[in-house]
Amino acid sequence: MDLGFFDPPLLPNESRHDLACLRRALMQNIQPVGILEEIFVLELVGHLLEMQRLARSRTLLINLAIENALRRLIVRISDDLDEEGGAALARAWFTESAAKREVSKLLAGVKLDEEAIIARATMDVFEDLQRLDRMLSLRQARREKLLRSLVEFRKSFAAQVQLAVARAQDRLLLETTVAQAEP
């Protein structure tokens, strides 16, 4: 049965193929029985996709803040560069090896390395990262609740099956006993 209408919408940078692979892997791993369990799995796919987005967003936020953080570090530690010169060197750092060497030299002069750039960029977007972490925690809690619901559904269904089988066996035993008692 095609339940593709349950697929979450994708962003332009996301792959339908990757979504299908995640969906297929979860279907194989969980092996849903019936439409309700399949819907549980498809909801789980949506939660996992959103969790991946949030995790990628953390990295992207830091990456976006690197140039500004680097510019501020350069201006602070350099005696020769003003805001404009620091901005030009920070932009060049991404693509030019000479600029990378110059920045490394400046950082080494104050006993720092490229990790200082990342640390500064991380601090610059700290509040955004906290907001993303809260969103990720909410998604993780929803994922756990969904998994617990699936387990409870399966337990409940298993109990219903056991009860139905027991009743059927009791009925069969009763019918057999009545049939044997008849003359």
Side-chain angles (χ1 to χ4, degrees):
M1 176 179 298
D2 180 26
L3 296 174
F5 61 91
F6 279 100
D7 285 345
L10 297 176
L11 297 175
N13 66 326
E14 295 173 332
S15 160
R16 185 142 310 279
H17 173 74
D18 291 347
L19 176 65
C21 288
L22 175 62
R23 182 178 173 196
R24 190 171 32 258
L26 283 172
M27 289 289 189
Q28 288 173 351
N29 192 2
I30 296 174
Q31 297 180 355
V33 176
I35 186 78
L36 291 177
E37 286 191 11
E38 285 187 38
I39 291 170
F40 275 115
V41 173
L42 295 174
E43 280 190 50
L44 183 59
V45 168
H47 286 291
L48 293 174
L49 178 65
E50 187 62 27
M51 289 169 62
Q52 288 174 342
R53 286 176 182 157
L54 292 170
R56 278 193 316 266
S57 293
R58 289 185 99 265
T59 303
L60 291 171
L61 276 174
I62 295 168
N63 284 338
L64 289 170
I66 286 175
E67 183 178 339
N68 189 42
L70 178 56
R71 177 193 51 78
R72 290 199 339 262
L73 272 172
I74 289 169
V75 169
R76 198 165 97 212
I77 63 176
S78 172
D79 296 329
D80 303 329
L81 294 171
D82 60 4
E83 282 287 327
E84 193 175 306
L89 182 57
R91 274 190 307 278
W93 179 80
F94 287 97
T95 58
E96 299 173 19
S97 56
K100 276 200 177 285
R101 284 192 301 274
E102 186 177 346
V103 167
S104 291
K105 193 174 176 183
L106 282 171
L107 291 171
V110 290
K111 296 186 177 11
L112 294 175
D113 59 15
E114 289 184 359
E115 290 296 319
I117 303 165
I118 305 302
R120 180 71 264 162
T122 302
M123 291 308 297
D124 289 348
V125 294
F126 183 73
E127 288 180 20
D128 293 328
L129 294 173
Q130 281 187 315
R131 197 169 25 255
L132 278 174
D133 285 344
R134 283 192 299 273
M135 292 168 66
L136 189 55
S137 291
L138 286 172
R139 280 289 172 181
Q140 289 168 335
R142 287 180 187 160
R143 178 198 61 202
E144 295 306 313
K145 184 177 180 182
L146 185 60
L147 290 172
R148 281 192 306 275
S149 295
L150 177 59
V151 168
E152 287 302 314
F153 178 80
R154 282 186 171 176
K155 282 182 187 175
S156 172
F157 182 70
Q160 289 174 0
V161 168
Q162 286 176 334
L163 183 60
V165 168
R167 285 181 180 160
Q169 287 174 336
D170 288 347
R171 195 171 308 124
L172 182 61
L173 180 62
L174 180 61
E175 288 172 3
T176 304
T177 304
V178 169
Q180 289 175 350
E182 289 179 356

